[in-house]
Amino acid sequence: MSEEKVVGIVLVSHSAEVAASVAELAKGLAGGTTSVPVAPAGGRPGGGLGTSAELVSAAAASVDRGAGVAVLTDLGSAVLTVKALLAEGDELPGNTRLVDAPFVEGAVAAVVTAATGADLDAVEAAAVEAYGYRKT
């Protein structure tokens, strides 16, 4: 049986716990889907706060199913880490995209949309649209 092509999601946070919790929340709110590969990439390799190019690269490789990889980040240096990896050109799977979206709401929207079989453009659009979610 061959694997279905689906957009993978990487969640990059300065905290391993935050990245893992947001991944769990997004998958849970998407109905507990196992069809969408979601990988947290948080903290430093030896623990502690920070971001790690190695963890991001490994996470992206682990979720790549041939339909692209959407990467969402929390704060400044996480963005810079992903941008540096993208600039290298060979550190991330082809068709990996940094998505400018709110971390929690964007992650949920991305996973829910990817679970429908949507392409990378649609996953990105759904995550970006999360900027407009009003709480009042």
Side-chain angles (χ1 to χ4, degrees):
M1 179 160 69
S2 67
E3 269 187 9
E4 178 183 346
K5 286 188 177 185
V6 63
V7 174
I9 313 292
V10 175
L11 303 174
V12 183
S13 174
H14 285 70
S15 163
E17 292 82 3
V18 168
S21 294
V22 172
E24 180 182 345
L25 175 68
K27 289 190 290 187
L29 292 176
T33 184
T34 58
S35 64
V36 178
V38 180
R44 304 289 309 151
L49 297 176
T51 56
S52 162
E54 295 81 18
L55 291 177
V56 173
S57 186
S62 77
V63 301
D64 182 19
R65 301 293 183 276
V69 176
V71 181
L72 286 85
T73 61
D74 63 358
L75 302 169
S77 67
V79 174
L80 295 175
T81 298
V82 175
K83 283 184 174 182
L85 287 168
L86 288 167
E88 290 292 321
D90 62 352
E91 297 296 318
L92 297 173
N95 208 13
T96 296
R97 193 176 297 173
L98 175 60
V99 176
D100 182 12
F103 192 60
V104 175
E105 294 92 335
V108 171
V111 173
V112 167
T113 303
T116 69
D119 66 11
L120 184 57
D121 288 337
V123 169
E124 178 179 28
V128 170
E129 187 177 308
Y131 271 127
Y133 295 171
R134 302 292 308 170
K135 296 177 182 162
T136 59

